[in-house]
Amino acid sequence: DLEQFSRHLIGGTEAAGGTINIVQKRALATPAYEIGVHGGRWGVGGVDFGATGPLGSEKLLYRMDTAYEHSNGFRRAGYDRFNMTPALFWRISSRDQLDLRLTYNQDRSHLDAGIPLQPTPSGDLVIPAIPLNRRFNTPGNFEKLSNPVLQGFYQHSLSESLRLRQAFSYEYQNDEYWQSEGLTI
């Protein structure tokens, strides 16, 4: 039994974890452009754009990806998301290369405190008979997250089969948040 086997391996009843490998688009020597538009339920809509190519020579390449998405959300608890990722790839020599990228994310969400519970005479809390799409938040509820990430990757080839790689990453996160909670009737 796979479940018993995984419990034996990890020493508990929780599911085994995993690793996510995020592969980002690379700068290319051949110019290329792409644009996408999408939409969906509850006013979801967005646009994204990508461009890549050489900057003067094939030794210096760029890539620029940007996206914006908006949602009205269920109960008007939507969001606005913006992402921009400029990147430079520099082939310093036949043995050395440098890849720099800056990713900037900004999310603004209109939070939803949910439906207030109604106490019964016995002290239990129940969902009142009200429309589920009614929003009870105060107008000032929000979350604003800004998240720039700077990354640098240097590679030196010592031989055809041996490479030295060095990576650098700096991330800053600013999260502003205001949410009314614990609503009761």
Side-chain angles (χ1 to χ4, degrees), residues 10-59:
I10 60 175
T13 59
E14 297 299 318
T19 301
I20 298 173
N21 183 24
I22 298 174
V23 178
Q24 297 178 323
K25 293 180 180 179
R26 296 186 54 112
L28 303 173
T30 305
Y33 309 92
E34 58 189 32
I35 189 164
V37 178
H38 66 275
R41 192 172 178 187
W42 295 313
V44 172
V47 62
D48 52 81
F49 174 76
T52 186
L55 285 173
S57 76
E58 289 191 11
K59 288 189 169 202

Short mmCIF file of all heavy atoms in Angstrom, two decimals, residues 10-59:
data_model
loop_
_atom_site.label_atom_id
_atom_site.label_comp_id
_atom_site.label_asym_id
_atom_site.label_seq_id
_atom_site.Cartn_x
_atom_site.Cartn_y
_atom_site.Cartn_z
N ILE A 10 8.30 8.89 5.84
CA ILE A 10 8.36 10.21 6.45
C ILE A 10 8.03 10.19 7.93
O ILE A 10 8.10 11.22 8.59
CB ILE A 10 7.46 11.22 5.70
CG1 ILE A 10 6.01 10.78 5.71
CG2 ILE A 10 7.95 11.43 4.29
CD1 ILE A 10 5.05 11.78 5.09
N GLY A 11 7.67 9.06 8.46
CA GLY A 11 7.45 8.93 9.90
C GLY A 11 6.20 9.63 10.40
O GLY A 11 6.16 10.08 11.52
N GLY A 12 5.17 9.77 9.59
CA GLY A 12 3.95 10.43 10.04
C GLY A 12 2.82 10.15 9.08
O GLY A 12 2.92 9.32 8.19
N THR A 13 1.71 10.90 9.26
CA THR A 13 0.54 10.67 8.43
C THR A 13 0.37 11.75 7.36
O THR A 13 -0.57 11.71 6.61
CB THR A 13 -0.72 10.64 9.31
OG1 THR A 13 -0.81 11.89 10.00
CG2 THR A 13 -0.68 9.49 10.27
N GLU A 14 1.27 12.72 7.30
CA GLU A 14 1.15 13.78 6.31
C GLU A 14 1.65 13.31 4.95
O GLU A 14 2.45 12.40 4.84
CB GLU A 14 1.96 15.01 6.76
CG GLU A 14 1.46 15.63 8.04
CD GLU A 14 0.03 16.15 7.93
OE1 GLU A 14 -0.32 16.76 6.90
OE2 GLU A 14 -0.73 15.93 8.88
N ALA A 15 1.17 13.96 3.92
CA ALA A 15 1.58 13.63 2.55
C ALA A 15 3.03 14.04 2.34
O ALA A 15 3.52 14.99 2.94
CB ALA A 15 0.68 14.34 1.55
N ALA A 16 3.71 13.29 1.49
CA ALA A 16 5.09 13.62 1.17
C ALA A 16 5.13 14.94 0.41
O ALA A 16 4.25 15.25 -0.38
CB ALA A 16 5.70 12.51 0.32
N GLY A 17 6.17 15.74 0.65
CA GLY A 17 6.33 17.03 0.00
C GLY A 17 6.91 16.88 -1.39
O GLY A 17 7.15 15.78 -1.87
N GLY A 18 7.16 18.01 -2.02
CA GLY A 18 7.71 17.97 -3.37
C GLY A 18 8.51 19.22 -3.66
O GLY A 18 8.61 20.12 -2.84
N THR A 19 9.10 19.24 -4.83
CA THR A 19 9.89 20.37 -5.28
C THR A 19 9.28 20.91 -6.56
O THR A 19 8.86 20.14 -7.43
CB THR A 19 11.34 19.91 -5.56
OG1 THR A 19 11.88 19.38 -4.35
CG2 THR A 19 12.18 21.07 -6.04
N ILE A 20 9.22 22.21 -6.67
CA ILE A 20 8.72 22.85 -7.88
C ILE A 20 9.90 23.49 -8.59
O ILE A 20 10.63 24.28 -7.99
CB ILE A 20 7.65 23.91 -7.55
CG1 ILE A 20 6.46 23.27 -6.87
CG2 ILE A 20 7.24 24.66 -8.81
CD1 ILE A 20 5.44 24.25 -6.37
N ASN A 21 10.10 23.15 -9.83
CA ASN A 21 11.18 23.71 -10.63
C ASN A 21 10.58 24.77 -11.55
O ASN A 21 9.84 24.45 -12.47
CB ASN A 21 11.87 22.61 -11.45
CG ASN A 21 13.04 23.14 -12.24
OD1 ASN A 21 13.61 24.18 -11.89
ND2 ASN A 21 13.39 22.46 -13.30
N ILE A 22 10.88 26.04 -11.27
CA ILE A 22 10.37 27.13 -12.08
C ILE A 22 11.41 27.46 -13.14
O ILE A 22 12.53 27.84 -12.82
CB ILE A 22 10.05 28.37 -11.21
CG1 ILE A 22 8.96 28.02 -10.21
CG2 ILE A 22 9.65 29.54 -12.10
CD1 ILE A 22 8.67 29.11 -9.21
N VAL A 23 11.04 27.31 -14.39
CA VAL A 23 11.94 27.61 -15.50
C VAL A 23 11.45 28.89 -16.15
O VAL A 23 10.34 28.94 -16.67
CB VAL A 23 11.96 26.45 -16.53
CG1 VAL A 23 12.86 26.80 -17.70
CG2 VAL A 23 12.41 25.16 -15.85
N GLN A 24 12.28 29.93 -16.10
CA GLN A 24 11.91 31.21 -16.68
C GLN A 24 12.34 31.28 -18.14
O GLN A 24 13.31 30.64 -18.55
CB GLN A 24 12.56 32.35 -15.89
CG GLN A 24 12.07 32.40 -14.46
CD GLN A 24 12.76 33.49 -13.66
OE1 GLN A 24 13.93 33.74 -13.83
NE2 GLN A 24 12.01 34.12 -12.79
N LYS A 25 11.62 32.06 -18.92
CA LYS A 25 11.98 32.24 -20.32
C LYS A 25 13.32 32.96 -20.41
O LYS A 25 13.60 33.86 -19.63
CB LYS A 25 10.90 33.06 -21.04
CG LYS A 25 9.58 32.34 -21.15
CD LYS A 25 8.57 33.20 -21.88
CE LYS A 25 7.25 32.50 -22.00
NZ LYS A 25 6.26 33.34 -22.69
N ARG A 26 14.14 32.54 -21.37
CA ARG A 26 15.48 33.11 -21.54
C ARG A 26 15.49 34.10 -22.70
O ARG A 26 14.68 34.02 -23.61
CB ARG A 26 16.48 32.01 -21.80
CG ARG A 26 16.61 31.04 -20.62
CD ARG A 26 17.71 30.06 -20.86
NE ARG A 26 18.95 30.74 -21.18
CZ ARG A 26 20.03 30.77 -20.39
NH1 ARG A 26 20.01 30.13 -19.26
NH2 ARG A 26 21.11 31.41 -20.76
N ALA A 27 16.46 35.01 -22.64
CA ALA A 27 16.68 35.93 -23.75
C ALA A 27 17.20 35.13 -24.94
O ALA A 27 17.99 34.20 -24.78
CB ALA A 27 17.68 36.99 -23.33
N LEU A 28 16.74 35.50 -26.14
CA LEU A 28 17.11 34.79 -27.37
C LEU A 28 17.80 35.73 -28.35
O LEU A 28 17.54 36.93 -28.36
CB LEU A 28 15.87 34.19 -28.03
CG LEU A 28 15.02 33.24 -27.19
CD1 LEU A 28 13.75 32.89 -27.93
CD2 LEU A 28 15.81 32.01 -26.83
N ALA A 29 18.67 35.18 -29.19
CA ALA A 29 19.37 35.97 -30.20
C ALA A 29 18.44 36.34 -31.36
O ALA A 29 18.66 37.34 -32.04
CB ALA A 29 20.59 35.21 -30.72
N THR A 30 17.40 35.56 -31.59
CA THR A 30 16.44 35.84 -32.65
C THR A 30 15.30 36.69 -32.07
O THR A 30 14.66 36.27 -31.10
CB THR A 30 15.86 34.53 -33.22
OG1 THR A 30 16.94 33.71 -33.65
CG2 THR A 30 14.92 34.80 -34.37
N PRO A 31 15.03 37.87 -32.64
CA PRO A 31 13.93 38.69 -32.11
C PRO A 31 12.60 37.95 -32.14
O PRO A 31 12.28 37.27 -33.12
CB PRO A 31 13.90 39.91 -33.04
CG PRO A 31 15.27 39.97 -33.62
CD PRO A 31 15.72 38.54 -33.75
N ALA A 32 11.84 38.05 -31.07
CA ALA A 32 10.52 37.43 -30.98
C ALA A 32 9.63 38.27 -30.07
O ALA A 32 10.11 38.89 -29.12
CB ALA A 32 10.64 36.01 -30.43
N TYR A 33 8.34 38.28 -30.40
CA TYR A 33 7.37 39.06 -29.63
C TYR A 33 6.11 38.22 -29.45
O TYR A 33 5.75 37.46 -30.34
CB TYR A 33 7.02 40.36 -30.38
CG TYR A 33 8.23 41.13 -30.79
CD1 TYR A 33 8.81 40.95 -32.04
CD2 TYR A 33 8.83 42.02 -29.90
CE1 TYR A 33 9.96 41.64 -32.41
CE2 TYR A 33 9.97 42.71 -30.26
CZ TYR A 33 10.53 42.52 -31.52
OH TYR A 33 11.67 43.20 -31.87
N GLU A 34 5.47 38.38 -28.33
CA GLU A 34 4.22 37.66 -28.09
C GLU A 34 3.30 38.52 -27.24
O GLU A 34 3.75 39.31 -26.41
CB GLU A 34 4.48 36.31 -27.40
CG GLU A 34 5.20 36.43 -26.09
CD GLU A 34 5.65 35.09 -25.52
OE1 GLU A 34 5.96 34.18 -26.31
OE2 GLU A 34 5.69 34.98 -24.29
N ILE A 35 2.01 38.38 -27.49
CA ILE A 35 1.01 39.09 -26.71
C ILE A 35 -0.14 38.13 -26.45
O ILE A 35 -0.47 37.31 -27.30
CB ILE A 35 0.52 40.38 -27.41
CG1 ILE A 35 -0.34 41.20 -26.46
CG2 ILE A 35 -0.16 40.08 -28.71
CD1 ILE A 35 -0.55 42.63 -26.90
N GLY A 36 -0.71 38.22 -25.26
CA GLY A 36 -1.84 37.37 -24.90
C GLY A 36 -2.91 38.18 -24.19
O GLY A 36 -2.61 39.11 -23.45
N VAL A 37 -4.15 37.84 -24.45
CA VAL A 37 -5.30 38.47 -23.81
C VAL A 37 -6.20 37.35 -23.32
O VAL A 37 -6.40 36.36 -24.03
CB VAL A 37 -6.06 39.38 -24.80
CG1 VAL A 37 -7.28 40.00 -24.14
CG2 VAL A 37 -5.15 40.45 -25.37
N HIS A 38 -6.70 37.47 -22.10
CA HIS A 38 -7.59 36.43 -21.57
C HIS A 38 -8.69 37.06 -20.72
O HIS A 38 -8.57 38.20 -20.28
CB HIS A 38 -6.80 35.39 -20.76
CG HIS A 38 -6.20 35.95 -19.52
ND1 HIS A 38 -4.99 36.59 -19.47
CD2 HIS A 38 -6.66 35.96 -18.24
CE1 HIS A 38 -4.72 36.97 -18.24
NE2 HIS A 38 -5.72 36.61 -17.47
N GLY A 39 -9.73 36.29 -20.49
CA GLY A 39 -10.84 36.75 -19.67
C GLY A 39 -11.59 35.57 -19.10
O GLY A 39 -11.39 34.43 -19.51
N GLY A 40 -12.44 35.86 -18.12
CA GLY A 40 -13.19 34.79 -17.49
C GLY A 40 -14.31 35.31 -16.61
O GLY A 40 -14.69 36.48 -16.67
N ARG A 41 -14.78 34.44 -15.78
CA ARG A 41 -15.92 34.70 -14.89
C ARG A 41 -15.56 35.75 -13.84
O ARG A 41 -14.41 35.89 -13.45
CB ARG A 41 -16.30 33.39 -14.23
CG ARG A 41 -17.60 33.41 -13.52
CD ARG A 41 -17.94 32.03 -13.08
NE ARG A 41 -19.20 32.05 -12.35
CZ ARG A 41 -19.70 31.03 -11.73
NH1 ARG A 41 -19.07 29.88 -11.73
NH2 ARG A 41 -20.84 31.11 -11.10
N TRP A 42 -16.51 36.47 -13.34
CA TRP A 42 -16.40 37.51 -12.31
C TRP A 42 -15.47 38.64 -12.74
O TRP A 42 -14.71 39.19 -11.95
CB TRP A 42 -15.97 36.94 -10.96
CG TRP A 42 -16.99 36.02 -10.37
CD1 TRP A 42 -18.33 36.26 -10.26
CD2 TRP A 42 -16.76 34.73 -9.83
NE1 TRP A 42 -18.95 35.19 -9.69
CE2 TRP A 42 -18.00 34.22 -9.40
CE3 TRP A 42 -15.64 33.95 -9.66
CZ2 TRP A 42 -18.15 32.99 -8.82
CZ3 TRP A 42 -15.79 32.72 -9.08
CH2 TRP A 42 -17.02 32.25 -8.67
N GLY A 43 -15.52 38.97 -14.01
CA GLY A 43 -14.76 40.11 -14.50
C GLY A 43 -13.26 39.89 -14.58
O GLY A 43 -12.49 40.84 -14.53
N VAL A 44 -12.82 38.64 -14.67
CA VAL A 44 -11.39 38.37 -14.79
C VAL A 44 -10.95 38.71 -16.20
O VAL A 44 -11.58 38.31 -17.17
CB VAL A 44 -11.06 36.89 -14.48
CG1 VAL A 44 -9.60 36.59 -14.79
CG2 VAL A 44 -11.35 36.58 -13.03
N GLY A 45 -9.89 39.47 -16.31
CA GLY A 45 -9.35 39.81 -17.61
C GLY A 45 -7.91 40.24 -17.46
O GLY A 45 -7.49 40.73 -16.41
N GLY A 46 -7.14 40.02 -18.50
CA GLY A 46 -5.75 40.41 -18.43
C GLY A 46 -5.08 40.42 -19.77
O GLY A 46 -5.62 39.95 -20.77
N VAL A 47 -3.89 40.99 -19.78
CA VAL A 47 -3.07 41.07 -20.97
C VAL A 47 -1.62 40.82 -20.56
O VAL A 47 -1.21 41.21 -19.46
CB VAL A 47 -3.25 42.44 -21.67
CG1 VAL A 47 -2.82 43.59 -20.78
CG2 VAL A 47 -2.53 42.48 -22.99
N ASP A 48 -0.88 40.13 -21.43
CA ASP A 48 0.55 39.93 -21.16
C ASP A 48 1.32 40.14 -22.45
O ASP A 48 0.80 39.96 -23.55
CB ASP A 48 0.82 38.54 -20.56
CG ASP A 48 0.25 37.42 -21.37
OD1 ASP A 48 0.87 37.03 -22.36
OD2 ASP A 48 -0.84 36.92 -20.98
N PHE A 49 2.58 40.57 -22.30
CA PHE A 49 3.42 40.88 -23.44
C PHE A 49 4.84 40.41 -23.16
O PHE A 49 5.33 40.55 -22.04
CB PHE A 49 3.41 42.40 -23.68
CG PHE A 49 4.37 42.83 -24.76
CD1 PHE A 49 4.08 42.63 -26.10
CD2 PHE A 49 5.57 43.42 -24.43
CE1 PHE A 49 4.97 43.02 -27.09
CE2 PHE A 49 6.47 43.82 -25.41
CZ PHE A 49 6.16 43.62 -26.74
N GLY A 50 5.49 39.87 -24.17
CA GLY A 50 6.87 39.44 -24.06
C GLY A 50 7.65 39.83 -25.30
O GLY A 50 7.11 39.83 -26.41
N ALA A 51 8.91 40.19 -25.12
CA ALA A 51 9.78 40.55 -26.24
C ALA A 51 11.20 40.10 -25.91
O ALA A 51 11.62 40.13 -24.74
CB ALA A 51 9.75 42.05 -26.49
N THR A 52 11.93 39.68 -26.94
CA THR A 52 13.32 39.26 -26.75
C THR A 52 14.09 39.52 -28.04
O THR A 52 13.50 39.66 -29.11
CB THR A 52 13.42 37.77 -26.36
OG1 THR A 52 14.77 37.46 -26.06
CG2 THR A 52 12.92 36.86 -27.47
N GLY A 53 15.43 39.60 -27.91
CA GLY A 53 16.27 39.81 -29.08
C GLY A 53 17.63 40.33 -28.67
O GLY A 53 17.93 40.51 -27.49
N PRO A 54 18.49 40.61 -29.65
CA PRO A 54 19.82 41.13 -29.36
C PRO A 54 19.80 42.64 -29.12
O PRO A 54 18.92 43.34 -29.62
CB PRO A 54 20.62 40.80 -30.62
CG PRO A 54 19.59 40.76 -31.71
CD PRO A 54 18.32 40.29 -31.06
N LEU A 55 20.76 43.12 -28.34
CA LEU A 55 20.98 44.55 -28.13
C LEU A 55 22.31 44.91 -28.80
O LEU A 55 23.35 44.88 -28.15
CB LEU A 55 21.02 44.90 -26.64
CG LEU A 55 19.70 44.92 -25.91
CD1 LEU A 55 19.90 45.13 -24.42
CD2 LEU A 55 18.79 46.01 -26.46
N GLY A 56 22.28 45.15 -30.07
CA GLY A 56 23.49 45.51 -30.79
C GLY A 56 24.24 44.32 -31.36
O GLY A 56 24.60 44.31 -32.52
N SER A 57 24.50 43.31 -30.56
CA SER A 57 25.20 42.11 -31.05
C SER A 57 24.62 40.89 -30.36
O SER A 57 23.84 41.00 -29.42
CB SER A 57 26.70 42.22 -30.76
OG SER A 57 26.95 41.98 -29.38
N GLU A 58 25.03 39.72 -30.83
CA GLU A 58 24.52 38.49 -30.22
C GLU A 58 25.18 38.19 -28.88
O GLU A 58 24.84 37.22 -28.23
CB GLU A 58 24.69 37.32 -31.19
CG GLU A 58 23.74 37.43 -32.36
CD GLU A 58 23.69 36.17 -33.19
OE1 GLU A 58 24.23 35.13 -32.76
OE2 GLU A 58 23.09 36.21 -34.28
N LYS A 59 26.11 39.04 -28.44
CA LYS A 59 26.74 38.86 -27.13
C LYS A 59 25.88 39.44 -26.00
O LYS A 59 26.00 39.05 -24.87
CB LYS A 59 28.12 39.51 -27.10
CG LYS A 59 29.14 38.76 -27.90
CD LYS A 59 30.50 39.33 -27.66
CE LYS A 59 31.53 38.40 -28.27
NZ LYS A 59 32.82 38.58 -27.66
#
